[in-house]
Every structure is written in structure tokens, then in C-alpha cells.
Amino acid sequence: MAEKSNALKKLFSYLIYKDKKQVKEFYIPEADEIRKQQDNCKVTRKDTTPPQEQKSKGIKKPVPISGVKQDKNADTQKADDKTISTDITENMKYIKAKFNASVNKDIVLREFMIAEKYKAFIAYIDGMIDKNVVNNYILRPLLNGEKFKGKDEECQLDFILQSVLETNQLKKITKHSDVVFDMLSGNTLLYVNGCNYYISNETKGFPARGVEKPVIEGVIAGAQEAFNESLKTNITLVRKIIKNHNLTTEYIKLGERNQNLCAIMYINGMTNPAIVDEVKRRLKGIDIDINMGDGMIEQLIEDNTFSIVPTILSTERPDRTAAHIVEGRVAIFSDGVPFAKVVPVTLSALIHSPEDAYMRFPYGTLLRWIRLLGMFFATLLPGLYIAITNFHQEMIPTELLIAIAKAKENVPFPTILEVVLMEVSFELIREAGIRIPGIVGNTLGIIGALILGQAAVQANIVSPVLIIVVAITGLGNFAVPNFELALGIRLLRFGFIIFGVLLGFYGIVALVMLLGIYLVSQKSFGVPLLATIAPRTTRSNDLLIRYPIWKQERRPDLLNTLDRSRQPEISRKWTQENPNYSHDRVGEDD
Amino acid sequence: MIKEGKIGTIEAISISTIFLITKAFYINPGTVIKLMSTAGWYATEISVLGSMLLFLILYLLMKRFPGNDLVGIFDIAAGKFLGKLFSLIFSGFFVYYSGVNIREFVEMIKAYILPYTPPSAIIILFMGIVIAYAYAGLEGIARMGYLSFIVILVGLVIILVLPFPFYDIDNLFPMGGYGIKASLQYGALRSSAYSEVAFLAFIINSLQGTKNFRKAGLISLAFAGIIIGTIILCSLLAFEYPQGSENLSALFQLSRIVYFSRFFQRVETVFIFIWVMASVITVSITFYLAVSIFCKSFKIPKYRPFLLPFAFCTFLVTLLPENISEIVEKHTNFLRSYSMFIVYFIPILVLIIAIIRGKKGVKEKDEEA
């Protein structure tokens, strides 16, 4: 019977209207709403919460160290953003409040008595520090009373600073803003009761990648080191190369929320101080929420935001950075990014590769010219192909024209559609190739291009000549040593395709001229982008032809370095001297 | 005043030479051959010498008023009203020059490479480039001029050397052409064809001194004389004078006849490349000068707002001639044969007025140093 009624209920349930179950949905309240709520909470809490003493009535709690022997009558200064109190409780309270320690469990505050005499605490952020350093070289010496024997009561932090702590970098900090920043950077702060300053211990110990091979600036000859995400490591890598007492590093904090540390490096007394000042001025003049590294810095400090070609050189190679610093440029590093930015640069610096300098000069020059040829192909080839096949067939030698026409005979599309189709698919393969995981990525990119090309030709969608054109264009693009410049060239290529299809050769030359006037008007930190050629400066021995190393006697003229000379006129002094073990062939008796 | 920046002597020589030789891409060599037949290639040097002479007189005027450009000198020497009038004549002249040059360019591009493209599309793109160049200013034009000059020289060498199998030395004889009288007469008259060099007087403050002005002017005139002389010579060698005088563009024809094998023939691409380059630089200079002279004469500190109105005027000028023969018969003929009456004789007139009125510029200390 019960079964029957259940079945009946179910049957009815299909027929009868039922109210939908009310589910409350989540929404993000407006900031004002939240503030109002918080204000209300504060008011009600004030009204309802009983005094602390009442609550703890009759319960005995262990007294914290900071509460031991507290002089209740002492008139202690309150700790706030500006002042560091001389009272340990106040300072702990400040740090706890600053870091929301009640909910923020990463903050560690460890109270202890130094040599059973002085109240103290250390503060750090869990995970950012090296625990070994904190345990063995900060806590152990401090807790061990041996060193404090025979010292009078007054001696406190100074003595600890000089003789007790065993960490390599220590500094006094007198501002709360620095205390906060040092803790956030992975340092351990020590405070001893009665002082109005902290001691910051260098204990950074967060995980970082090792120094690995360059990924996008690989070379055959030369060093195989690349920067990593650690700012200190990157600076050290450059310092390792330039062992010069004038090599200077200055730090600037950037980003209001994340306070990312940036460093600028230059050789004091050689780099034109105006460049250094300008770099600092621009960096300090940035007011931004979050700084995610030098890619963002570049966009914030470059001369022209809309420039198609980059006006700041980005490199992941310490040797390249060092070479530029020694030429009189300034390098900008940013914490957390394995790249350095170099300013000011010219276009020629963007098309040079570190390899040029490592190879003997005929090889270096050859490589440079091949790269230039690659740039020419990457920029102009598809545009020229369209212009010539659409407008100026008479310019193609007859046999080649016949070959092109034959290949295109079965293709139903106009040339421009073919080119756009192939260019777009090539760009797709390239972009997808980056995201295809792991080892498959590279092979799949190449195979994808081959198969796609082959299939497109067999399906009579594109002509085989065009596949060759697109392939050479792609190869030329990869020959460009600077990734950002290569991206700029990719953009320009589409411009040339459009002008080529609209106005033929005239359109191409017109765009070349427009590009020309645009480039000669661009500047990188006061240096014209095409300097050495337009405007003309003193001849450079490292422009299109890389002269032998011993012929490069002067630093780039356009940087106005304080020391112009790179090396003396005769840098191979041994050529002027006789070998130690020499004999005169003329007077020799046979 | 407009901030024009500084340009180096080599950059000045480059733009001045391009300005002078651009006409050789057009009908000019043909006209010279028509007027002086086989004597054209050396008689054109008479024009260069004539122009050099007039340029030196202009130099005397500039030396008299150091630290001033021609617009300033007009004001000082001839008074504010007459001075402004002279400046405006020059401004108008350069607008006219730009317009005629663009039209000549368009007619030729239509005849040779883009027969089906509407001329307005060609003109608008060209005007766009010219405005961009003028917007970038003199420094930008000069820098680009220097870069283009190198490319143009290389291109010219290619076009003039490659047709050598077609060169016949007999085509140069009789050397005398239509006789000494005709050569001298047209040679002197066509000094106008080299009168453009006077534009340097308007940008003399960017050249850093009157000595650089003289140097840049004379060297560019010599360069232009050699280049145009060689082009006429090659044209005569390849085509004889009756056919040579009929070529719309001697250089284009020369680039077309190149033939080494079935694969290596016809280098029009090179021609188009350097031709467009030279035309862009030339028209940019004239257009920029038109705007800057106007602004300088009325002491307007910013020239950029005037670019579009002047571009519109220039566009109107390009529409004046009805067809290519009108351009050749009337306009370019006027520019190449009679423009010196404006370009050189107004400054000379001003020099005479200055001498009569005893006006003289103050020597700047920097200049003396």
C-alpha cells in the first residue's frame, strides 16, 4: 500500500507545480558596503566585549616573556609607522598589527631571553628564510650565555651586532618602513628590549633556479650562462665578469603593492652621469601598483610607447650585459626576472649577437650580414612577391615568370589570399609551438609546417612558390637576434603585404620611406635609434662590418662616455717586440 | 621661431644633391638633349658653373648678415612689408614646386608602372609621406636624406654601368651639338635647373655657419653636375640624340635595356626604388620649406598646424596641369629654365637694396670664434 502511495506521489509530483528551492548566490559586495560592515562590527564589538580582565578572571595563563618584570610605571613610547618604540611589547604589537599576524600565519615572531638577561624577539616570514642560518647563527649564539659573561648590563644591541651574531650581513634599521620591507625580502629582524632600532640579518633562503643555459640567446662560441630569477645572482654574474671597483649597483624599489627591487648597474666615472641620472629619474618617477619585472619597466620608461621597434635592449646573457656596461651603457635589473635591460641602445645593437665578438672577424662579419639578409627577407619578401606578381610581371625574368605562372595555374585564389592564408597559418604554428608541451613542441612545430604546406600545395590551395617564400620569410625572422625586434618585423611584414597588394612596388617603397623617417625620429634615452649612420657620428668599427677586436679603439661616440678610449692604438704590443727566443734569419749561415 | 635642430655638412650636401638631381629621373635629360643634342652632357656643366656663380653672389648676401636666414635677411634689408612679400613669393614658389613635382611623378608612375591605379590614390599616399617627413622636421629629412643618398648613388651606378654593352661612342659625335652659341645660350639659361641649391639659405642656421653653407652648396652643385652630366652622357651613348630627346625618363629607359642573359635583365626595380626615394626627399624639402618660410616670415613658433592646409594647397597645384604634355611644356620648362629669376634674382635684388641702404648684419661672437 505504502509503495503504491509513494508511486502516486511521484506521479503527482510530475504534474504539480513545485516551488524551486531557494539557493543564495554569492556576490562580491562593493567596497563601501564592506567598509560599512566593518565599521558596524567595530561599534558592536566595543559595546559587547567585556574587559579582558573580567574574561580571564580566575584563570592563570603563562606570562609571555615580554610581560615578565614589566615596569608598569615606565612611560613607554608607542610604536607607529614613524617611530620605533623602546619597549618590546609595543614593537611586537606593531609588527603583529602590520602583518595581520592574527590571521596571517606566515609571520613568525619568536620571543626569547638573550643570555637570560635581555628580552628580545626575532621576526621573519616563514618560507622566505634559511632556517639553518636562523637556528645556528642567530638563535644559538644569542641563547648561549657564554659570550655575555663579564659584560655589563648596559651593553645590548651594539655588542650583539659586533660580536655575537654570526650572519654575514647585518645592518641597523631605524625606520619601520624598512623593517617591513626587510622582512618581506626574506631577512630576519632582531629586536632587543630598550633599543630604538632593529638589526636586520641577511637570511634569504627562498627557492631559486640555478644558473642555466640561455634559452633564447643561444650561441655556439662563448659563455653559456644566463640570468635567473634572483636579482643578487644576476648582479653577481655581471660582477664576476667586470672586476672593476667602479662598477656600481644602485637599488630602487618599484611597485606600491609588491615593492619589487630594481637595480641599475654602471661604471662610475666612465658612463655619462646624465644617462644614469635620467634612468634613475624615470625609474623613481614611476608610480605603479605592481611591478612584475623589467618587461613592465621597459614599457614604463621607454621614450615612445608606440614604437614598432624596441628602444631598450633586453638580454638574458651576463656577458652581453657586461659588454654593454663597459661600453658606457646602463643595465637595469629587476627581481624575479631572468633578463636585464640595457639603455641607451641603437638599432645596430639590436641586430648584433654576442657571438660576433667571440668569433674571428671574417666569421663575425659574415654572420652579421647573413642576419641582415634574414631581416630583409623577413620584412619584405612576401610584400615584394605580391607586388611583383600582381603589378610588375614584366620585371620577372621570363623563365621564372613561366615557372610561377605554371605553379599557380591550378590555384583558385588570388595571390593575396594565398599569402595571408599561409602567413596566418605560419604565425599560428609559431604561437602554438610555444605552448605545445615539452619535447613534442619543437618537432610538432616543424612537422606541422611541413605537413600543412605540403597538404596545401597538393590540395591546390596555395602555389609551391609561395610556400618557399613563406618558409624563407619565417627563417629570416628567426635569424633576428632580438626577440622583440623580430616581433616588430612580423608586424611590419603585414604592413608591407598590404601596401604591396594595394600599390605594388610604389607602395612598398613608400612604406620603406615612411618607416625610414619614423626610425630616424626615434630615440632611446636621448640617443637617436639609427645613430652612427643617421645622424652621422664618428665612424664605428663595429657596425655592419665587425672589424678585428684590436681595431676597436674607441667607445661608441654617441654615448659621450667620460673615457672615450677603449684601448691604445696598438693593443697587441707583442707585435712590436721581438720574441724572447728569436734568431735572425738574414745573417744565418746555411 | 621654429626649432629646426642642427644638421651636419654631409647631410646638407646629401639633401641638396638629391634635390638637384631628382629632375634627372624625369624629362630633364631628354630636354637637355633636345636643346643641345650631343653637346648636352658637357653643356650642362655650363649651367652648373652659372649656378655656382649665382650661388656665390647669394653667399655674399648671407655673409653680410651672419646668423640670419634668408627670411630674416629679407625683413632686415628690404623692410618688413617687402621682406614679407619676398618670403611669401618663396613660400608660394615652393608650394608650386612641390605640386608640379608630385604631378610629374604621378604622370610618370601611371605611364610606367601603375596604369590602372587612380591618380588620386597615388597622390594621397605621396602627400601622406611628405606630410610625415615635414612633421618629423628638417633633422629627420636630413638624416633620411643622407641614408637615401647612399642608396640612390648605388642604384645610379647600377643603372648607368649595367647597360654598357649598348653604349656606342660614335653616338657622341659630332661633339659640338647645335653649335657653341646654342650650347652657351641654353647652358646659361638652364642654370635655373641647378638653382634649387639656394634653399640652403633658408636653413642656414641649421648648417652652423656661412662657411658650411658655401661648402655644402658648391659641393652639392659639383656632385649634381657630375651626376646629371653622366646620366645625359649615358643616355646619349645608348640611344643617340634623336631618340634620347624623346625619352620621358632616360634613366628608366636605361634600366629597361639591361640584358645579360635571359635571367638577368631589366632592372626597373632598382630605378623605381631610387626614383621614389629621391622624389620623396625632394618634395619633402620643398614642402617643409614652404611651410617653414611662411611661419618664419610671420614669426609663428609652431609650423606643424600648417601642414594640412599647405598640403591641401599643394594638392590643388597637382590638379592644375591637364595632362603630361602640359606639365612638360609649361610647368617643368618654367621651373628648369626660368626659376632662377625667383630663386636667385630676388636675393640678389635684396643684396643690392642692402648695399644701397647700407644695411649690415651684426657679426655674432660665435661666428668670429
Side-chain angles (χ1 to χ4, degrees):
Chain A
M1 201 55 195
E3 267 176 27
K4 244 184 188 180
S5 71
N6 274 344
L8 212 66
K9 258 185 192 173
K10 209 172 183 182
L11 191 71
F12 274 114
S13 75
Y14 289 120
L15 302 171
I16 298 164
Y17 172 76
K18 270 195 300 187
D19 246 353
K20 208 180 163 191
K21 195 185 168 190
Q22 291 288 327
V23 182
K24 284 202 174 178
E25 262 183 60
F26 167 74
Y27 81 104
I28 303 174
E30 297 286 334
D32 290 340
E33 231 173 291
I34 296 278
R35 273 187 216 119
K36 232 181 235 173
Q37 261 182 16
Q38 279 173 350
D39 289 345
N40 287 341
C41 278
K42 271 180 198 168
V43 174
T44 47
R45 219 176 275 165
K46 264 181 195 171
D47 297 341
T48 53
T49 46
Q52 203 74 35
E53 291 146 29
Q54 276 180 9
K55 202 181 173 187
S56 58
K57 212 178 179 181
I59 304 165
K60 261 201 170 179
K61 264 194 172 177
V63 185
I65 301 167
S66 52
V68 179
K69 287 183 199 170
Q70 198 170 8
D71 191 357
K72 277 174 187 169
N73 300 324
D75 192 21
T76 48
Q77 204 181 3
K78 268 206 156 187
D80 54 29
D81 284 344
K82 282 176 192 161
T83 46
I84 295 175
S85 168
T86 50
D87 179 43
I88 190 167
T89 329
E90 279 296 322
N91 287 328
M92 279 183 73
K93 218 189 270 175
Y94 174 80
I95 288 190
K96 277 181 183 166
K98 197 76 188 168
F99 285 95
N100 302 322
S102 55
V103 280
N104 192 354
K105 295 304 172 200
D106 280 345
I107 306 301
V108 179
L109 278 139
R110 158 89 155 85
E111 290 173 79
F112 56 97
M113 297 283 277
I114 298 177
E116 299 170 5
K117 282 180 194 166
Y118 319 114
K119 281 183 281 178
F121 74 87
I122 55 168
Y124 58 84
I125 298 177
D126 198 19
M128 298 283 282
I129 52 123
D130 186 343
K131 277 184 184 159
N132 272 333
V133 177
V134 176
N135 288 344
N136 296 332
Y137 306 106
I138 298 176
L139 283 177
R140 191 169 291 170
L142 286 173
L143 292 172
N144 188 354
E146 286 295 313
K147 279 193 175 171
F148 292 89
K149 272 181 188 166
K151 292 284 162 194
D152 53 345
E153 286 287 316
E154 281 171 18
C155 137
Q156 285 181 357
L157 219 46
D158 277 331
F159 173 68
I160 292 169
L161 200 85
Q162 285 160 13
S163 314
V164 182
L165 291 171
E166 292 173 12
T167 49
N168 64 341
Q169 267 189 47
L170 297 169
K171 61 180 176 199
K172 278 186 188 178
I173 291 182
T174 52
K175 273 193 221 159
H176 259 144
S177 58
D178 291 344
V179 169
V180 172
F181 180 70
D182 263 48
M183 270 181 77
L184 289 171
S185 313
N187 289 349
T188 303
L189 273 297
L190 168 70
Y191 178 79
V192 180
N193 195 18
C195 300
N196 63 348
Y197 54 85
Y198 286 75
I199 294 178
S200 164
N201 298 277
E202 159 76 33
T203 55
K204 291 185 185 81
F206 36 80
R209 198 159 57 100
V211 176
E212 288 168 13
K213 272 189 170 189
V215 184
I216 55 171
E217 281 178 281
V219 291
I220 293 169
Q224 302 288 352
E225 276 179 344
F227 290 130
N228 67 9
E229 284 79 5
S230 159
L231 181 67
K232 290 276 176 192
T233 314
N234 295 348
I235 288 167
T236 316
L237 286 173
V238 175
R239 278 206 178 271
K240 202 176 78 182
I241 298 169
I242 312 172
K243 296 181 188 72
N244 187 312
H245 61 278
N246 278 327
L247 181 64
T248 313
T249 315
E250 289 187 42
Y251 292 96
I252 293 168
K253 277 180 234 161
L254 262 183
E256 203 187 334
R257 293 273 178 267
N258 71 337
Q259 301 217 45
N260 193 311
L261 202 60
C262 295
I264 59 169
M265 270 184 120
Y266 57 92
I267 295 187
N268 198 11
M270 194 198 74
T271 309
N272 194 318
I275 302 176
V276 181
D277 282 351
E278 180 63 13
V279 172
K280 281 197 275 185
R281 188 184 75 85
R282 290 195 192 180
L283 284 175
K284 283 177 183 164
I286 295 174
D287 190 1
I288 191 175
D289 193 35
I290 183 168
N291 166 31
M292 293 293 285
D294 57 355
M296 278 175 85
I297 294 176
E298 179 185 5
Q299 297 175 54
L300 293 165
I301 62 170
E302 65 187 342
D303 289 62
N304 182 0
T305 309
F306 304 104
S307 176
I308 287 181
V309 291
T311 50
I312 292 174
L313 172 73
S314 176
T315 176
E316 57 168 347
R317 298 183 60 89
D319 53 346
R320 198 176 186 192
T321 315
H324 281 298
I325 291 176
V326 173
E327 276 191 346
R329 295 187 173 92
V330 178
I332 305 167
F333 296 86
S334 186
D335 200 9
V337 184
F339 288 97
K341 298 277 168 191
V342 179
V343 292
V345 287
T346 54
L347 195 63
S348 61
L350 295 174
I351 57 174
H352 291 174
S353 158
E355 210 161 23
D356 298 355
Y358 295 141
M359 296 245 191
R360 296 181 55 246
F361 101 96
Y363 314 150
T365 309
L366 174 75
L367 291 180
R368 197 166 281 183
W369 279 92
I370 288 174
R371 234 174 282 135
L372 282 175
L373 194 71
M375 272 177 72
F376 173 79
F377 284 149
T379 326
L380 287 171
L381 201 59
L384 282 178
Y385 175 77
I386 290 191
I388 290 183
T389 49
N390 275 6
F391 288 90
H392 321 292
Q393 297 88 349
E394 77 280 359
M395 287 180 193
I396 312 172
T398 323
E399 280 155 14
L400 184 63
L401 182 66
I402 293 168
I404 293 174
K406 253 189 198 168
K408 219 186 129 15
E409 207 181 357
N410 291 327
V411 180
F413 301 120
T415 317
I416 173 69
L417 203 68
E418 278 180 83
V419 171
V420 170
L421 210 71
M422 277 322 285
E423 282 292 336
V424 168
S425 36
F426 196 77
E427 294 289 326
L428 266 179
I429 290 170
R430 199 170 351 192
E431 191 56 27
I434 299 170
R435 306 206 201 299
I436 298 171
I439 313 155
V440 197
N442 294 332
T443 18
L444 206 70
I446 299 162
I447 292 171
L450 284 176
I451 292 175
L452 201 70
Q454 183 68 25
V457 168
Q458 279 183 353
N460 282 334
I461 292 173
V462 290
S463 80
V465 182
L466 189 80
I467 298 281
I468 298 169
V469 169
V470 174
I472 293 176
T473 312
L475 284 177
N477 209 99
F478 284 123
V480 181
N482 185 291
F483 183 69
E484 288 178 316
L485 183 66
L487 279 176
I489 286 175
R490 267 155 84 172
L491 262 179
L492 281 172
R493 179 161 70 238
F494 286 102
F496 278 107
I497 290 175
I498 294 167
F499 272 68
V501 77
L502 289 179
L503 287 162
F505 213 83
Y506 165 60
I508 302 254
V509 189
L511 193 55
V512 167
M513 290 305 276
L514 273 177
L515 189 64
I517 193 74
Y518 180 74
L519 288 180
V520 296
S521 313
Q522 292 300 307
K523 279 188 174 180
S524 161
F525 282 77
V527 172
L529 200 62
L530 290 189
T532 340
I533 307 174
R536 269 168 54 87
T537 55
T538 318
R539 206 171 74 109
S540 162
N541 278 347
D542 186 23
L543 194 67
L544 296 179
I545 296 173
R546 191 190 71 75
Y547 283 72
I549 301 285
W550 50 266
K551 268 206 150 191
Q552 297 176 16
E553 284 126 8
R554 301 180 73 76
R555 285 179 223 288
D557 182 26
L558 42 107
L559 294 173
N560 292 338
T561 45
L562 302 182
D563 177 14
R564 287 285 174 93
S565 137
R566 213 190 248 266
Q567 58 208 21
E569 200 105 314
I570 295 165
S571 44
R572 296 181 305 162
K573 294 215 171 66
W574 59 270
T575 52
Q576 307 290 307
E577 298 159 356
N578 285 327
N580 288 340
Y581 302 97
S582 59
H583 57 88
D584 214 348
R585 272 186 178 274
V586 184
E588 220 172 59
D589 287 329
D590 289 323
Chain B
M1 289 303 270
I2 303 170
K3 272 191 183 174
E4 290 194 312
K6 302 267 178 242
I7 60 173
T9 315
I10 292 187
E11 286 167 348
I13 292 171
S14 309
I15 51 171
S16 177
T17 312
I18 293 177
F19 196 2
L20 288 167
I21 64 167
T22 302
K23 61 183 79 70
F25 288 90
Y26 300 97
I27 189 84
N28 184 50
T31 317
V32 173
I33 295 172
K34 199 174 199 172
L35 292 173
M36 297 178 258
S37 77
T38 45
W41 63 277
Y42 62 84
T44 195
E45 307 307 330
I46 298 171
S47 316
V48 174
L49 288 176
S51 187
M52 278 182 175
L53 201 71
L54 293 166
F55 180 76
L56 285 175
I57 300 174
L58 180 65
Y59 168 67
L60 286 182
L61 175 69
M62 302 316 288
K63 219 169 89 176
R64 208 178 158 84
F65 297 93
N68 285 302
D69 57 12
L70 208 50
V71 179
I73 295 173
F74 284 162
D75 271 6
I76 300 168
K80 292 231 157 146
F81 177 74
L82 213 56
K84 279 197 177 37
L85 188 71
F86 287 151
S87 300
L88 285 182
I89 290 175
F90 268 99
S91 181
F93 171 73
F94 282 125
V95 169
Y96 174 71
Y97 195 105
S98 316
V100 170
N101 225 306
I102 292 175
R103 184 62 191 268
E104 200 179 5
F105 174 83
V106 171
E107 289 299 336
M108 221 171 93
I109 215 168
K110 268 191 77 64
Y112 283 146
I113 55 173
L114 295 173
Y116 305 113
T117 312
S120 51
I122 301 169
I123 297 178
I124 287 170
L125 178 63
F126 199 90
M127 274 318 299
I129 302 171
V130 168
I131 291 171
Y133 270 66
Y135 187 85
L138 186 64
E139 266 186 355
I141 297 175
R143 287 172 192 174
M144 221 22 226
Y146 172 68
L147 283 178
S148 314
F149 186 56
I150 300 169
V151 181
I152 290 170
L153 272 189
V154 173
L156 279 177
V157 169
I158 291 173
I159 293 174
L160 295 180
V161 169
L162 289 185
F164 75 89
F166 298 91
Y167 290 164
D168 184 356
I169 195 84
D170 290 341
N171 288 345
L172 291 183
F173 297 102
M175 291 271 273
Y178 293 141
I180 295 171
K181 193 187 153 199
S183 299
L184 278 178
Q185 185 193 337
Y186 288 117
L189 192 63
R190 285 190 75 81
S191 295
S192 294
Y194 296 91
S195 65
E196 291 95 337
V197 73
F199 90 96
L200 288 172
F202 290 103
I203 56 166
I204 193 165
N205 288 335
S206 302
L207 294 176
Q208 305 163 53
T210 38
K211 274 189 185 156
N212 282 340
F213 165 72
R214 188 181 60 180
K215 196 173 149 193
L218 292 182
I219 292 177
S220 57
L221 273 173
F223 261 141
I226 293 166
I227 292 169
I228 294 185
T230 316
I231 292 171
I232 296 171
L233 178 71
C234 292
S235 178
L236 278 171
L237 281 171
F239 302 118
E240 298 181 30
Y241 80 85
Q243 197 199 332
S245 64
E246 282 168 12
N247 281 338
L248 183 57
S249 167
L251 269 176
F252 185 73
Q253 295 300 341
L254 280 172
S255 66
R256 274 176 83 100
I257 59 169
V258 172
Y259 184 92
F260 280 97
S261 65
R262 283 178 75 177
F263 198 79
F264 191 81
Q265 50 175 316
R266 292 188 303 232
V267 289
E268 295 111 304
T269 24
V270 179
F271 170 79
I272 296 169
F273 206 84
I274 60 171
W275 166 47
V276 177
M277 270 186 162
S279 302
V280 165
I281 297 288
T282 301
V283 180
S284 304
I285 296 168
T286 52
F287 183 71
Y288 172 80
L289 282 174
V291 182
S292 79
I293 290 170
F294 180 81
C295 291
K296 277 179 193 168
S297 71
F298 289 106
K299 302 207 166 25
I300 301 165
K302 282 181 183 165
Y303 71 93
R304 284 177 178 167
F306 290 89
L307 290 176
L308 280 181
F310 269 78
F312 183 70
C313 294
T314 313
F315 185 72
L316 290 185
V317 175
T318 60
L319 302 180
L320 283 181
E322 271 184 18
N323 48 39
I324 191 160
S325 28
E326 193 186 324
I327 302 169
V328 174
E329 293 293 322
K330 269 194 199 164
H331 300 279
T332 58
N333 196 28
F334 163 73
L335 282 179
R336 315 272 190 262
S337 299
Y338 302 102
S339 65
M340 67 174 165
F341 291 103
I342 294 176
V343 178
Y344 278 134
F345 288 178
I346 290 181
I348 291 170
L349 186 70
V350 172
L351 180 63
I352 294 166
I353 295 172
I355 292 169
I356 293 168
R357 292 178 66 187
K359 292 259 179 186
K360 223 173 178 187
V362 189
K363 265 204 170 181
E364 278 188 356
K365 278 176 191 168
D366 300 347
E367 192 79 11
E368 280 172 352

